[in-house]
């Protein structure tokens, strides 16, 4: 098994392409122990993508694998995080995953 | 003020139908017979709406609206095409010429009213919801420009909804144009639509703000103001949307944005319902939310955010305890009636953790009109027709399978065939039920008509209805609407006497028109009965003789004499009125009923009134039939008309030679030897059968060689070449691929009765 990979996500991270996003991330978790997701700055994002990532984070944790973002959330992704209220009661782990805050502090 | 509508159509029936529908809905209607006439009328009067046909003599619809758009007094008037054409190029030309809408005939008059009923709050709400859904769906699927544009339209309608602006023909016109633009934004999202968009938004703004148009921005930025100001309240709002929200185009983020726009807001996402990755359906929604909102807006405003999804979601809204008392605002009118002032009442503080006592299930909160009717699905009628065709084909195949199975010793095959037969029968019944609607939908249209007829004739008329729950095929009902208009108008104009004459003859002053419906076997009988003077046979005869329809002094049966009123151009009215007397009505009725494979019975008693009964088949597609053989040919007799089957021995057959009656339980029944009628040239079978059929009151025996049995029959129309063959109402394909003709029972019964009359005359 390969140890790590960087998955470059397509710019449409909305429900219309949710199945594609889900397949890529699921396959990656199955095939690699460390996965970094590269999300385009200009990606269009909606809640379906947040759900996939949150479920993937849980799965990676359960299997002792590492899932992270290559870069802190920005652009539309960051806006959707705020609009959705996901960051309102975010844990340290959440903030670390989405915003890479432990590296910036 | 009553909205004024100009209808331009060269078809009398379309003009009349439109007039009845629109006047019935409270509009003032002016009619024009062609484009030139329409243009002349438009020069003299400004209308709120113009409804026009496309193809007309003298000046067609396109040319008329080009000219009409140049008239200073018709600027901004919406123009709707009502036409049989649906060609896209034509629509483009119409739009370029200035048309704002397009309605394809045949149309339901209600559709016209629906599209232009400006004071109907439910319709305004429906448009608002549709725009909102379009906006959400557009944003969801990346049509951002569509979403942004639709947002402006939605805002405009929200102002109407909240009573801040009035729905006007101008708004309808602007929205119709906006709809076309929305389509363009879907088809060409990256195109240059800026100029068109600006123009349309200015029109929208002008439409909702009255004559003084302000900037476009003011539409989109107009804050939704509450009717009253109030002290802020903190609300806890917990909501869960259905899992299929994304697929349905619902975007929870827009709800959160709307809540944020109301005041200080803390949004907490609850991801506890998120399933493990392998069980996650990527397009389903699992997140829930808890929102704490401090706002001066009331509960209703918060509920409004979820207006479109209320039926399918769970929503809890609770006022939280805080330093400021929880308040409910009750708008009230003070002494100064122009200045509504809020009355603030202090509500008891709820327990911090408990929902407010007034919190109620979402389904109770929603206006029933706004509820999405999950239990019903709107399906275009053409799809039902297609489905009906498929069912028809299936019935033919099943019939073939049944025949193969009957000749086979294979038990398995026979079992499958029987099961198939049962399923086909059930499918057929289900299909029929899908298309059935109660005749109440038809009868309701005539209440307003009778109201207007009272005004036009000066007669007092009472309309009563009976059997409104009787159901018929929707298509049949629609095609009955016009004939019934003619019959009701004739009853009011010709049938009923004026008040003085009625009193003089000892009748109540108010005349009675009764519409009734009842089902007998496979047909529905719809009757129009009046208690007027009855048909004046002497005048009918005189008119018929004058028109050359009958020879002077010719002997003619009473029923035949009465049937003359259905001849083209026949009218006994001494003067032409707006209502009737042009001799077109009853002819139209006859043609319409014949096109439905129906028949008309007319009874009339001098001084007592008349009844016109329309006998209409319950359905036009599939019937249960009795398959019989006559000579070497197969024929189908509609089963609902069959009363009984009797075997006739050779002796009885010989005894009945030269006669046309058989004694059946002490009643003489006329009969017809189909072998002779069809000139089969074959010898009769040893034991012939008589199938007794009836059309309600009259019956006749049909002598056939063999009764084969029950046959589910898909009716295929006869060709144009066979229009004059009245003995058959259609044809069907049998299981072996051969054709069987379907007997027209009504015609055969008439034939039998004629024979009877002739024999009685000779005797």
């Amino acid at each position: 098994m390969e140890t790590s990979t960087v998955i470059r996500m397509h710019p449409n991270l909305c429900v219309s392409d949710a199945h594609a996003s889900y397949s890529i991330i699921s396959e990656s978790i199955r095939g690699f122990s460390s996965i970094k997701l590269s999300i385009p700055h200009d990606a269009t994002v909606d809640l379906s993508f947040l759900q996939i990532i949150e479920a993937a984070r849980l799965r990676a944790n359960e299997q002792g694998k590492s899932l992270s973002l290559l870069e802190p959330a920005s652009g539309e992704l960051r806006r959707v995080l705020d609009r959705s209220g996901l960051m309102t009661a975010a844990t340290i782990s959440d903030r670390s995953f989405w915003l890479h805050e432990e590296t910036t502090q | 003020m009553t909205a004024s509508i100009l209808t331009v159509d060269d078809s009398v029936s379309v003009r009349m139908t439109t007039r009845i529908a629109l006047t019935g809905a409270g509009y003032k209607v002016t009619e024009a017979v062609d484009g030139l006439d329409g243009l002349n009328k438009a020069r003299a009067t400004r209308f709120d709406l113009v409804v026009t046909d496309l193809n007309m003599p003298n000046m067609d619809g396109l040319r008329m609206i080009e000219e009409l758009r140049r008239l200073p007094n018709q600027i901004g008037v919406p123009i709707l095409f009502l036409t049989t054409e649906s060609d896209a190029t034509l629509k483009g030309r119409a739009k370029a010429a200035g048309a704002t809408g397009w309605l394809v005939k045949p149309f339901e008059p209600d559709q016209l009213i629906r599209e232009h009923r400006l004071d109907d709050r439910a319709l305004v709400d429906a448009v608002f919801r549709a725009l909102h859904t379009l906006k959400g769906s557009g944003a969801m699927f990346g049509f951002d420009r569509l979403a942004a544009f639709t947002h402006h339209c939605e805002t405009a309608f929200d102002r109407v909804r909240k009573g801040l602006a009035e729905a006007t023909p101008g708004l309808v016109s602007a929205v119709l144009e906006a709809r076309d633009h929305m389509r363009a934004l879907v088809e060409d999202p990256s195109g240059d639509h800026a100029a068109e968009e600006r123009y349309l938004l200015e029109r929208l703004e002008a439409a909702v703000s009255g004559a003084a148009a302000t900037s476009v921005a003011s539409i989109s930025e107009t804050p939704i103001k509450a009717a009253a100001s109030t002290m802020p309240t903190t609300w806890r709002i917990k909501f869960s949307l259905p899992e299929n929200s994304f697929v349905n185009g619902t975007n929870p983020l827009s709800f959160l944005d709307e809540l944020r726009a109301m005041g200080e807001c803390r949004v907490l996402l609850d991801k506890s319902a998120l399933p493990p990755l392998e069980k996650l359906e990527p397009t389903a929604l699992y997140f829930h939310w808890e929102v704490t909102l401090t706002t001066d807006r009331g509960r209703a405003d918060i509920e409004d955010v979820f207006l479109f999804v209320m039926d399918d979601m769970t929503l809890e809204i609770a006022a939280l305890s805080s330093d400021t008392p929880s308040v409910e605002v009750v708008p009230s009118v003070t002494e100064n009636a122009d200045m509504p002032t809020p009355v603030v009442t202090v509500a008891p503080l709820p327990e911090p953790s408990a929902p407010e006592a007034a919190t109620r299930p979402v389904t109770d909160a929603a206006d029933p009109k706004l509820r999405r009717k999950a239990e019903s699905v709107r399906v275009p009628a053409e799809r039902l027709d297609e489905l009906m065709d498929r069912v028809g084909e299936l019935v033919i195949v099943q019939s073939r399978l049944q025949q193969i199975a009957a000749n086979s010793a294979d038990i398995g095959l026979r079992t499958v065939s029987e099961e198939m037969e049962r399923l086909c029968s059930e499918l057929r019944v289900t299909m029929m039920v899908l298309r059935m609607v109660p005749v109440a939908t038809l009868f309701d249209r005539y209440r307003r008509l009778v109201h207007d007829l009272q005004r036009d004739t000066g007669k007092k008329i009472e309309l009563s209805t009976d059997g409104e729950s009787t159901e018929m095929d929707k298509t049949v009902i629609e095609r009955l609407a016009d004939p019934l208009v003619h019959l009701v108008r004739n009853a009011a104009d010709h049938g009923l006497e004026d008040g003085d004459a009625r009193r003089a003859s000892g009748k109540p002053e108010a005349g009675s028109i009764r519409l009734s419906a009842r089902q007998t076997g496979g047909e529905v009988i719809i009757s129009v009965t009046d208690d007027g003077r009855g048909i004046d046979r002497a005048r009918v005869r005189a008119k018929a003789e004058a028109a050359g329809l009958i020879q002077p002094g010719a002997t003619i049966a009473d029923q035949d004499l009465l049937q003359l009123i259905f001849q083209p151009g026949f009218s006994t009215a001494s003067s032409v009125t707006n209502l009737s007397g042009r001799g077109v009505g009853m002819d139209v009725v006859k043609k319409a009923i014949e096109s439905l494979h129906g028949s008309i019975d007319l009874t009339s008693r001098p001084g007592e009134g008349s009844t016109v009964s329309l006998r209409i088949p319950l359905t036009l597609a599939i019937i249960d039939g009795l398959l019989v053989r006559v000579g070497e040919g197969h024929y189908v007799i509609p089963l609902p008309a069959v009363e009984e089957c009797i075997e006739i021995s050779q002796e009885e057959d010989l005894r009945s030679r030269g006669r046309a009656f058989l004694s059946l339980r002490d009643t003489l029944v006329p009969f017809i030897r189909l072998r002779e009628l069809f000139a089969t040239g074959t010898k009769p079978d040893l034991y012939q059968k008589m199938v007794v059929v009836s059309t309600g009151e009259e019956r006749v025996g049909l002598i056939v060689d063999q009764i084969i049995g029950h046959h589910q029959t898909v009716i295929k129309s006869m060709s144009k070449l066979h229009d004059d063959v009245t003995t058959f109402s259609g044809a069907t394909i049998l299981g072996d691929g051969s054709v069987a003709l379907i007997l027209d029972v009504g015609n055969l019964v008439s034939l039998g009765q004629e024979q009877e009359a002739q024999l009685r005359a000779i005797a």
Side-chain angles (χ1 to χ4, degrees):
Chain A
M1 182 195 278
E2 296 279 345
T3 55
S4 66
T5 185
V6 174
I7 306 295
R8 301 198 181 280
M9 299 300 295
H10 49 89
N12 182 4
L13 302 175
C14 294
V15 68
S16 53
D17 270 356
H19 281 283
S21 304
Y22 174 79
S23 299
I24 292 166
I25 293 169
S26 299
E27 290 298 321
S28 305
I29 291 177
R30 262 197 293 276
F32 299 92
S33 56
S34 173
I35 306 107
K36 286 187 184 294
L37 299 176
S38 170
I39 297 171
H41 291 291
D42 61 349
T44 51
V45 181
D46 69 14
L47 287 169
S48 66
F49 183 67
L50 298 195
Q51 288 189 150
I52 293 169
I53 297 295
E54 285 298 318
R57 285 179 64 201
L58 288 171
R59 166 47 51 95
N61 272 346
E62 284 166 9
Q63 297 186 345
K65 296 184 175 181
S66 163
L67 176 69
S68 58
L69 302 184
L70 193 63
E71 292 174 353
S74 62
E76 182 69 14
L77 176 59
R78 178 62 206 259
R79 279 192 290 278
V80 171
L81 283 172
D82 290 336
R83 286 172 71 198
S84 68
L86 186 64
M87 303 310 292
T88 306
T91 62
I92 294 173
S93 168
D94 292 334
R95 301 191 76 81
S96 168
F97 176 83
W98 289 107
L99 308 176
H100 294 193
E101 277 195 350
E102 81 280 14
T103 58
T104 56
Q105 285 174 351
Chain B
M1 194 179 75
T2 307
S4 172
I5 299 175
L6 171 66
T7 63
V8 189
D9 204 306
D10 58 331
S11 160
V12 177
S13 61
V14 170
R15 283 205 312 275
M16 188 179 68
T17 311
T18 312
R19 182 180 67 236
I20 291 165
L22 292 173
T23 52
Y27 295 105
K28 184 183 169 194
V29 176
T30 302
E31 292 178 32
V33 296
D34 57 35
L36 201 55
D37 189 20
L39 194 58
N40 286 334
K41 283 178 174 152
R43 282 195 180 103
T45 313
R46 177 182 167 83
F47 295 99
D48 295 305
L49 171 71
V50 176
V51 182
T52 179
D53 190 12
L54 184 62
N55 299 313
M56 292 179 289
N58 297 326
M59 182 185 283
D60 66 23
L62 278 176
R63 174 83 194 285
M64 184 196 75
I65 61 172
E66 280 170 1
E67 297 288 330
L68 197 140
R69 283 293 181 218
R70 295 193 188 111
L71 298 178
N73 67 334
Q74 302 294 336
I75 290 172
V77 171
I79 300 175
L80 180 71
F81 263 117
L82 185 61
T83 174
T84 52
E85 306 280 355
S86 56
D87 179 67
T89 314
L90 264 178
K91 282 186 184 177
R93 286 178 58 202
K95 192 187 170 197
T100 49
W102 189 280
L103 202 57
V104 178
K105 297 174 189 172
F107 73 107
E108 289 177 52
D110 283 353
Q111 195 180 348
L112 189 59
I113 296 166
R114 272 203 303 274
E115 294 200 4
H116 297 280
R117 182 177 281 162
L118 304 174
D119 53 354
D120 190 326
R121 170 63 196 264
L123 284 180
V124 172
D125 282 352
V127 175
F128 176 69
R129 287 199 301 277
L131 288 168
H132 187 88
T133 305
L134 189 61
K135 181 182 81 171
S137 307
M140 182 71 68
F141 292 100
F143 292 95
D144 293 336
R145 293 184 65 180
L146 171 71
F149 177 74
T150 312
H151 172 72
H152 297 314
C153 301
E154 182 195 10
T155 307
F157 261 83
D158 195 36
R159 291 174 66 176
V160 175
R161 205 173 136 259
K162 289 184 158 64
L164 301 174
E166 202 178 338
T168 59
L171 178 63
V172 173
S173 171
V175 168
L176 286 173
E177 283 193 46
R179 185 187 60 180
D180 292 340
H181 183 64
M182 288 172 198
R183 188 172 289 127
L185 287 174
V186 171
E187 288 167 357
D188 181 19
S190 55
D192 181 11
H193 303 287
E196 173 82 357
E197 209 155 293
R198 227 176 2 258
Y199 161 73
L200 288 170
L201 290 178
E202 278 168 7
R203 284 201 62 188
L204 267 179
E205 172 63 23
V208 293
S209 61
T214 53
S215 70
V216 170
S218 66
I219 279 188
S220 53
E221 291 162 12
T222 301
I224 302 168
K225 289 177 183 168
S229 62
T230 178
M231 294 171 68
T233 305
T234 300
W235 301 88
R236 190 184 63 206
I237 304 150
K238 292 174 80 171
F239 69 93
S240 306
L241 294 160
E243 282 194 1
N244 62 358
S245 293
F246 289 151
V247 181
N248 289 341
T250 304
N251 184 357
L253 292 177
S254 62
F255 299 144
L256 296 169
D257 290 346
E258 284 190 56
L259 292 173
R260 282 194 181 92
M262 288 184 174
E264 192 183 327
C265 197
R266 181 177 186 269
V267 176
L268 190 60
L269 185 146
D270 175 1
K271 54 186 180 184
S272 59
L274 200 62
L277 186 64
E278 67 276 11
K279 290 186 178 169
L280 182 116
E281 163 51 46
T283 58
L285 173 63
Y286 301 101
F287 288 159
H288 306 313
W289 284 270
E290 181 176 325
V291 178
T292 309
L293 171 67
T294 302
T295 178
D296 56 3
R297 309 280 286 277
R299 167 187 296 279
D301 286 336
I302 297 171
E303 287 179 345
D304 241 14
V305 171
F306 303 98
L307 180 68
F308 305 95
V309 289
M310 274 192 155
D311 291 345
D312 303 319
M313 68 180 295
T314 57
L315 173 67
E316 279 179 26
I317 303 173
L320 294 179
S321 60
S322 63
D323 293 339
T324 53
S326 174
V327 294
E328 283 287 334
V329 177
V330 184
S332 173
V333 179
T334 61
E335 289 173 1
N336 182 352
D338 295 327
M339 292 290 289
T341 306
V343 175
V344 180
T345 54
V346 181
L349 297 178
E351 291 297 318
S353 58
E356 184 196 32
T359 301
R360 54 191 186 273
V362 171
T363 48
D364 290 343
D367 181 335
K369 285 182 181 175
L370 301 180
R371 291 182 187 177
R372 194 167 66 87
K373 292 183 177 173
E375 69 275 11
S376 65
V377 178
R378 287 175 67 96
V379 178
E382 315 88 74
R383 289 195 192 166
L384 286 182
D385 291 340
E386 279 176 30
L387 184 58
M388 177 65 96
D389 284 346
R390 297 290 93 76
V391 172
E393 300 303 322
L394 187 65
V395 168
I396 291 172
V397 172
Q398 178 269 320
S399 191
R400 185 164 168 72
L401 175 66
Q402 190 183 18
Q403 201 167 56
I404 293 169
N407 297 326
S408 168
D410 187 334
I411 299 295
L413 179 64
R414 289 186 171 203
T415 308
V416 171
S417 171
E418 284 169 12
E419 187 68 5
M420 184 80 172
E421 185 183 357
R422 184 181 64 78
L423 289 171
C424 274
S425 175
E426 288 174 4
L427 183 60
R428 202 201 76 176
V429 170
T430 307
M431 185 63 229
M432 296 297 171
V433 171
L434 282 182
R435 298 179 58 92
M436 293 294 188
V437 291
V439 294
T441 58
L442 182 66
F443 286 178
D444 284 348
R445 305 178 190 191
Y446 303 107
R447 298 192 188 284
R448 178 70 194 211
L449 172 65
V450 167
H451 172 84
D452 291 345
L453 286 170
Q454 290 191 77
R455 181 194 59 208
D456 295 344
T457 61
K459 300 173 185 175
K460 282 190 178 175
I461 306 170
E462 287 176 358
L463 176 73
S464 57
T465 56
D466 185 29
E468 289 169 297
S469 60
T470 308
E471 291 191 328
M472 291 186 80
D473 190 294
K474 186 175 188 300
T475 310
V476 176
I477 281 193
E478 282 166 4
R479 287 166 64 179
L480 278 174
D482 276 359
L484 280 176
V485 168
H486 288 299
L487 293 177
V488 172
R489 293 172 80 90
N490 267 285
D493 199 26
H494 294 322
L496 298 179
E497 313 93 329
D498 59 32
D500 293 340
R502 289 183 66 85
R503 275 193 299 274
S505 57
K507 292 180 181 177
E509 185 184 352
S512 161
I513 295 179
R514 182 172 188 76
L515 288 172
S516 65
R518 66 190 166 94
Q519 186 180 341
T520 59
E523 55 184 25
V524 170
I525 300 174
I526 293 183
S527 303
V528 181
T529 304
D530 68 72
D531 68 344
R533 59 173 71 92
I535 295 174
D536 185 341
R537 272 116 170 131
R539 285 186 66 191
V540 172
R541 171 176 279 281
K543 284 274 181 182
E545 287 178 357
L549 295 171
I550 57 171
Q551 291 298 317
T555 304
I556 183 167
D558 186 58
Q559 188 55 226
D560 292 341
L561 184 73
L562 293 178
Q563 289 287 333
L564 286 173
I565 69 168
F566 294 107
Q567 290 292 320
F570 192 93
S571 173
T572 59
S574 51
S575 64
V576 172
T577 68
N578 282 336
L579 304 179
S580 49
R582 293 181 191 276
V584 291
M586 299 306 261
D587 176 35
V588 170
V589 172
K590 190 178 183 208
K591 281 185 180 162
I593 301 307
E594 283 178 349
S595 73
L596 290 169
H597 304 295
S599 60
I600 306 176
D601 292 343
L602 176 58
T603 56
S604 180
R605 290 175 181 273
E608 293 181 19
S610 307
T611 298
V612 182
S613 299
L614 311 178
R615 295 176 169 278
I616 313 293
L618 207 51
T619 177
L620 303 175
I622 303 178
I623 57 165
D624 275 320
L626 185 69
L627 187 63
V628 300
R629 181 177 61 78
V630 179
E632 291 171 356
H634 289 91
Y635 302 88
V636 174
I637 303 171
L639 204 54
V642 175
E643 282 195 349
E644 60 184 305
C645 300
I646 301 157
E647 190 172 84
I648 299 176
S649 66
Q650 212 168 14
E651 295 76 39
E652 283 174 309
D653 187 30
L654 285 172
R655 276 203 304 276
S656 65
R657 292 275 158 200
R659 292 160 41 197
F661 295 96
L662 271 180
S663 176
L664 188 62
R665 292 187 289 279
D666 299 330
T667 306
L668 286 178
V669 177
F671 67 85
I672 298 168
R673 293 177 195 278
L674 292 185
R675 197 165 27 77
E676 292 172 7
L677 184 67
F678 299 156
T680 61
T682 55
K683 287 186 177 176
D685 275 21
L686 192 60
Y687 289 96
Q688 295 187 89
K689 315 289 182 301
M690 181 164 83
V691 182
V692 180
V693 294
S694 78
T695 56
E697 291 160 14
E698 309 292 348
R699 56 183 189 160
V700 70
L702 304 175
I703 296 191
V704 303
D705 287 324
Q706 184 189 359
I707 294 172
I708 297 170
H710 170 241
H711 183 78
Q712 215 169 58
T713 303
V714 181
I715 301 174
K716 301 284 181 188
S717 302
M718 304 278 275
S719 76
K720 285 276 179 197
L721 288 174
H722 300 95
D723 269 356
D724 58 340
V725 181
T726 55
T727 314
F728 306 109
S729 59
T732 187
I733 300 167
L734 300 180
D736 62 359
S738 63
V739 172
L741 295 169
I742 302 166
L743 299 183
D744 186 329
V745 172
N747 184 275
L748 289 169
V749 169
S750 299
L751 191 63
Q753 298 300 322
E754 273 175 31
Q755 282 186 9
E756 180 188 350
Q758 283 169 3
L759 287 172
R760 284 185 195 281
I762 292 167

